[in-house]
Structure formats: C-alpha cells, structure tokens
Amino acid sequence: MKPPAEGKSAESKSADDSSVEIAFEGRRIAARRGESLAAALTGDGVRVMRSNRSGDERGLFCGMGVCHDCIVEVDGCANQRSCMTKVDRPMQVRREAHGRPPLPPAAGEALASGAAAERLSPDILVIGAGPGGLSAALAARRAGAEVLVVDERSQAGGQYFKQLAVEGPGIAPADRQHREGRALIETVVAAGVTIRSGCTVWGGFDPGLFAAADAAGAMEITPGATIVATGAYERGWPVPGWTLPGVMTTGAAQTLWRTARRLPGRRVLIAGNGPLNLQLAAELIAGGAEIVAVAEAAARPGLASAGLLLEMARAAPELVGEGVRYHARRRAAGTPMLYGTLITGIEATASGLTARVASPAGERTFEVDAVCLGYGFEPASELLRALGCGHDYDADRRQLAVRRDGRGLTDVAGIYALGDCTGLGGARLALAEGVLVGLAAAESLGRPIPAALRAEAARADKDRARHRRFQRALWQLYAAPAYDWSLATPDTLLCRCEEVTFGQIEAALGENMREIGAVKRRTRVGMGRCQGRYCAPLLDAFLADRFGRPRDEFTGFAPRIPVKPVAIEDIARLAP
C-alpha cells in the first residue's frame, strides 16, 4: 500500500521551520527538513533499520533505493525505503522486523476504489535526471520537442549532481559541483522541460509503452521516442560481514554528505577501486571525519603510468586538477592511501566495526564506525534489457554494454540510451553525449535542427571524444583484479535479499546444476527486492569461471517486468 498523503499542518511547524521531529521507537530525533529519513537516522547514530528472516540486523547500504536494506515503517505504512523518503513532516518511524509484513486487510478495497492511471504522451520521454538525462532533455527541447523527464529520486541531478537538500547554521554551503548541477536543472526547467521526480518507471512494453508510478498513483506513458539514462549502481563485494549495519557503499556515504551534510561515522575506512573513493575521502575529511585509510585495489602508479597521466591531463586537465586537490586534502589530514589492498572481512564489535584489509605486504585491521565499499559499478540496464535491446559483454569492464550507434540509438526502434547505464563513462562524458542523443531523438520525430544546435552538437562530439580518451586512460590507471571467490566463506552471503550463502550455491552446483536459472530456482538467489542487482553479476561470473564458458547477454538472469518493485495497486491501475 502507498504511504499516507504528505502535508504540513500549522502545528507541525516549529520556530525553526528547518527542524522536524521524528519519533523513532521511543526516541525523539531532530531531523532537518528536506533530508532523507536515512540521513536523519544516521545523523542520530541509528545504524540498524530492520531485521531479516534470520533475525540479522541490516542498515543503510546502497543509499539509492536499490538494495532495500534500509526499509522502515513510516506512520504505519510498511516497506518504506528510508534512503528515498524525504523528511517533510513529523513522522512516526519503526524498524521493520523480518521486512515482510502481511498485506493490509483493506488492500482489496483500495484496489477497487483507486483512481485510474494517468496517461501521458510526450514527444520524448527521458528516464533518469542525471547529467546525461538532463543534457539530452535540454537539447531535445531546444530542438522543439515536448520532453518529459522522470526520475526515481526526490530531486533531479542524479548521483553526480545530487543536490544539497538542507541549509542552516553550521551546515556547509553548496559547493561548485552542487552549483553546476543546480544551474543545469534550472536551465532545463526554464526551457520548458517537465521533470517528474519521485517517479519510478517499472515496466517497458512494446510498442513504446511505459508503466510508472509516483506518490500520486500509476502512470501510462506512450512517447514518440525514449531516452534511457538510468545510470549505474555499485557492485557487490561479498566478504564476511558485508551486510552488517555500518557497512555501506561509497555512493551511499557520499549521498549522506552531499545531500544532507551527514557523516556515515566519525572514524571511517574507505575500500574499493576507482577515483570516487578518493573524492569521498576528501569530502568526509572536510566534514570533520577521520578517514583511517583509503584501501585502493589498484597498484600504486609508477613511472610506467606517466603516459596515462599525460593522456588524462591532455584530455581533461580540469579533472586531473580535481584529483590532485583530493590527494592534497587526504595527505594534509594524514590519511594513508593503501595501494594494492583489498578488504577481506568485517566484524561487529561493542563499539562499532573491525575491518580487515590485505595486501602483498600483509594484513591490517582498523577499528571504525563505518566501512564504505566502492569496487566499481554495474550499469542499471535492466529496463533496456527488458525492452529487448541487444547487449554485448565487455570483458575489460566485466559488464554488459548495450548495442547502439554513434547517436545513441539502440537496436530497438525509438529507444536511445546514454550515460553510465551503457557502460561507465562519468558525468562529463554523459553531458556531452546527452546533447548528441537529445538532438538525434528530436530529429527522428521530424524536428528540424537549426545551425546553432548543429554547431553545439559538433562541440559536444569533440568533448565526447576527449572524455572517452580520459576514461580509457583513467581505468587503465585504476586497473584492478576482479572479485576473488576465496574471499568468501561458505557462510558468506552472496544474495543479500534472500539470504543465500556461497555454501548453498556450492551445494546446488554439487547437484549438477550448471545453469544460472536452475541455481536460482533451487536456492532463490536473485528473487528478492533488489532483483539480483548485487548477486546476479557475481553469480554469472562465478559460473563462467567454474565451467569455463564466456559471459554474454543470455548467461545471466533473464530480464523481468517489473524491473523495480512496485505497489500491487499501481499495477492494477493499468488495467483497461
């Protein structure tokens, strides 16, 4: 069922209207209006948000609505993702026990009495309001197309341009990255693009029919052309203890800071692979956290890396400059950078967490409040796959990449794709690509492209080329080994949602099950709320290694509708 209607009464306003009181299991928590419920709870020291069927505690993990580990009950309404729930009124919040409450008795009446789905037919539908989606929407609108942008988050901007949602005394103001994103959002809105935030597209059907839902109800969208810009989410790194409260992705910790100025903890270990971990370290240090170490899986750059660094500096000197500044802040704080180092296990203690890391030089342990894991990304391509868009396996990135031409058109008519959902490229590449894809989509609908926009497209094409050069060099610099199966024990969870261990997977393989579908049916791996987003790529790679066969678009789980969890009532609204 949906949460109750959200409103603000006169009595809910305090002298400081930015402060909102949350009642959490006998505690009174002073939250900040506009932040996520997960941020407010984390800021008050709450780490445990639910328990699973086995009674194990879970907390904030992905911070972007993918994993569903942070679900709570809000004002009597169960299954609310605290990371996606904005604090805009006083709330009564409870932890969820087992996370699967029964369907309310009145559910049938609500289905029968609810309003029919809203029906929309824009020229162009853009799914995702990150840098690429916003850039594409703006270009298409400037070409004369009517554009609707839908995005699951409460604010446009995506992961890179995530906006600061709080303000007040003692809160660090918006930085340059925030301001750049805000300027883009305002420009897009001023151009006449419609943005529907808090809107989840859960299904794509032939020909050109999309099912979506937001707080107001269900939607049926039939655009002339569609641009999918759904971004990416962080890979799982299953080691003992990776499901403990206080262990979260790098992106989740960055969202806490960049949207709500909340720290994941006072003492933090950051472990993973890639430049986002370094940026997070610099930001949390500026916020007052002690970063005990950044454990980077890639080897330390040496003289052999000079050519890559030179190529990066030529292609995008501004991005290299950012990296230099992040390192300078890290060094000034005394935070060590541990190259060639992997996290191998995490344990709960009376005061927090103990994390173990290992490198060729040996093993170290750290006592911390929080552990941030960032071992790369998986494209959020589930909608593209469900639509039938072809994909190829990229062995270098260890991920599926959608097939598309130079203007972003996939092999399904009218479906374009750009940004990190097509393979990791970063925000700058997505911004450039958005111009080209937005204009291509508009032109496919018969909109003429004036000379000024064609000149802008030419500049964007050059920007796209140089940022591709930068990304190629960057990921050669950050080249790191894939997940090592020896890191897991038989009791280590592979599937967070259905609580399936590596031992259970091995038992299924011992029954001569060699196909991923058979293993799924035998163990329920991938059948939970995240729908296999964390376990499926790992299991696919595991089976490929075990049986010596290549990965492709058919070796993993088959795409299924709905691609995101959705209320039953919203499915029912689409009935003719």
Side-chain angles (χ1 to χ4, degrees):
M1 299 297 293
K2 286 186 175 298
E6 299 178 355
K8 183 169 67 176
S9 62
E11 58 268 24
S12 72
K13 297 182 67 175
S14 63
D16 177 6
D17 195 42
S18 66
S19 178
V20 180
E21 187 176 83
I22 294 173
F24 180 73
E25 301 193 340
R27 297 170 59 173
R28 299 290 175 180
I29 296 175
R32 301 162 177 163
R33 190 177 300 277
E35 69 180 337
S36 71
L37 181 54
L41 294 175
T42 300
D44 201 66
V46 176
R47 295 291 184 268
V48 179
M49 297 179 186
R50 73 173 182 99
S51 60
N52 61 17
R53 294 192 304 274
S54 302
D56 297 328
E57 296 176 333
R58 297 291 180 83
L60 178 68
F61 178 66
C62 75
M64 58 188 297
V66 175
C67 72
H68 290 70
D69 262 348
C70 68
I71 56 173
V72 293
E73 179 185 296
V74 180
D75 295 337
C77 187
N79 292 327
Q80 302 305 301
R81 293 172 292 177
S82 62
C83 68
M84 302 290 281
T85 302
K86 180 180 285 191
V87 174
D88 60 358
R89 67 188 190 280
M91 295 174 170
Q92 297 281 336
V93 181
R94 294 176 55 84
R95 293 186 176 98
E96 285 214 355
H98 313 307
R100 290 187 176 178
L103 194 67
E109 298 174 15
L111 293 178
S113 61
E118 180 182 6
R119 286 173 168 78
L120 303 169
S121 299
D123 292 336
I124 296 175
L125 170 66
V126 179
I127 304 173
L134 292 173
S135 176
L138 181 60
R141 180 60 188 150
R142 285 174 170 169
E146 177 196 359
V147 184
L148 170 65
V149 178
V150 297
D151 189 85
E152 189 174 17
R153 296 174 180 82
S154 61
Q155 292 179 295
Q159 288 296 98
Y160 185 76
F161 283 141
K162 52 176 73 82
Q163 293 296 293
L164 184 59
V166 297
E167 59 183 16
I171 297 176
D175 60 24
R176 182 177 57 81
Q177 190 171 318
H178 285 120
R179 294 192 296 272
E180 182 185 358
R182 171 50 53 189
L184 176 59
I185 295 166
E186 291 175 350
T187 300
V188 169
V189 172
V193 173
T194 300
I195 300 178
R196 298 274 294 253
S197 296
C199 178
T200 300
V201 176
W202 56 264
F205 309 89
D206 184 60
L209 169 64
F210 293 86
D214 64 8
M219 277 177 272
E220 181 182 286
I221 310 174
T222 52
T226 302
I227 299 172
V228 179
T230 44
Y233 55 92
E234 276 152 309
R235 281 187 171 129
W237 190 259
V239 295
W242 77 302
T243 60
L244 288 170
V247 180
M248 66 187 71
T249 67
T250 295
Q254 191 180 56
T255 297
L256 286 175
W257 177 250
R258 294 196 61 78
T259 66
R261 294 308 194 216
R262 299 286 194 182
L263 296 173
R266 286 292 168 184
R267 281 177 54 85
V268 181
L269 171 68
I270 301 173
N273 175 224
L276 181 61
N277 299 309
L278 178 60
Q279 180 180 354
L280 176 66
E283 290 175 340
L284 296 187
I285 288 168
E290 177 189 356
I291 308 302
V292 298
V294 178
E296 169 55 54
R300 181 186 297 276
L303 290 177
S305 305
L308 295 175
L309 292 168
L310 181 60
E311 176 64 15
M312 291 165 59
R314 286 172 175 168
E318 68 282 5
L319 297 182
V320 173
E322 286 181 358
V324 170
R325 289 190 290 274
Y326 296 148
H327 270 299
R329 186 176 295 169
R330 174 189 63 79
R331 291 191 188 96
T335 297
M337 191 88 180
L338 308 178
Y339 288 98
T341 302
L342 300 176
I343 192 162
T344 59
I346 308 160
E347 296 177 0
T349 66
S351 59
L353 300 169
T354 297
R356 301 187 306 277
V357 301
S359 70
E363 187 172 88
R364 297 178 62 177
T365 61
F366 296 95
E367 302 292 327
V368 294
D369 302 317
V371 175
C372 301
L373 304 177
Y375 283 92
F377 298 85
E378 290 290 337
S381 57
E382 53 276 352
L383 183 59
L384 289 167
R385 295 188 67 214
L387 288 165
C389 300
H391 287 69
D392 297 302
Y393 181 67
D394 183 338
D396 293 333
R397 297 288 181 86
R398 302 189 293 273
Q399 60 188 210
L400 289 176
V402 64
R403 295 185 205 119
R404 56 193 184 126
D405 65 17
R407 306 183 78 190
L409 181 64
T410 70
D411 53 14
V412 174
I415 305 296
Y416 296 78
L418 66 89
D420 287 352
C421 69
T422 69
L424 189 64
R428 298 299 163 187
L429 178 56
L431 285 167
E433 199 168 58
V435 176
L436 302 170
V437 174
L439 293 179
E443 192 170 30
S444 74
L445 300 179
R447 299 296 189 276
I449 308 301
L453 285 180
R454 292 196 181 278
E456 184 177 345
R459 291 190 295 271
D461 196 26
K462 291 180 180 179
D463 282 343
R464 178 173 65 172
R466 70 183 181 90
H467 282 296
R468 281 178 172 169
R469 293 197 306 273
F470 175 86
Q471 289 291 326
R472 281 194 295 269
L474 176 72
W475 288 108
Q476 288 180 63
L477 187 70
Y478 276 100
Y483 174 77
D484 185 344
W485 312 109
S486 68
L487 293 172
T489 68
D491 293 331
T492 303
L493 289 179
L494 171 63
C495 178
R496 300 175 64 93
C497 303
E498 290 298 313
E499 305 165 50
V500 180
T501 66
F502 275 84
Q504 290 171 294
I505 298 296
E506 286 287 3
L509 298 184
E511 297 173 12
N512 202 32
M513 295 181 183
R514 299 168 63 94
E515 302 300 326
I516 197 169
V519 176
K520 181 177 182 178
R521 289 188 293 272
R522 177 68 177 83
T523 65
R524 291 191 58 83
V525 62
M527 291 189 182
R529 285 185 174 91
C530 92
Q531 298 173 279
R533 284 171 174 81
Y534 291 105
C535 61
L538 289 162
L539 181 57
D540 191 23
F542 183 53
L543 295 179
D545 289 350
R546 173 66 62 89
F547 300 115
R549 60 194 184 204
R551 295 178 64 186
D552 59 36
E553 62 181 327
F554 301 111
T555 58
F557 293 155
R560 291 284 186 266
I561 300 294
V563 299
K564 295 282 184 75
V566 63
I568 295 173
E569 61 189 284
D570 288 325
I571 298 176
R573 302 279 186 261
L574 295 180

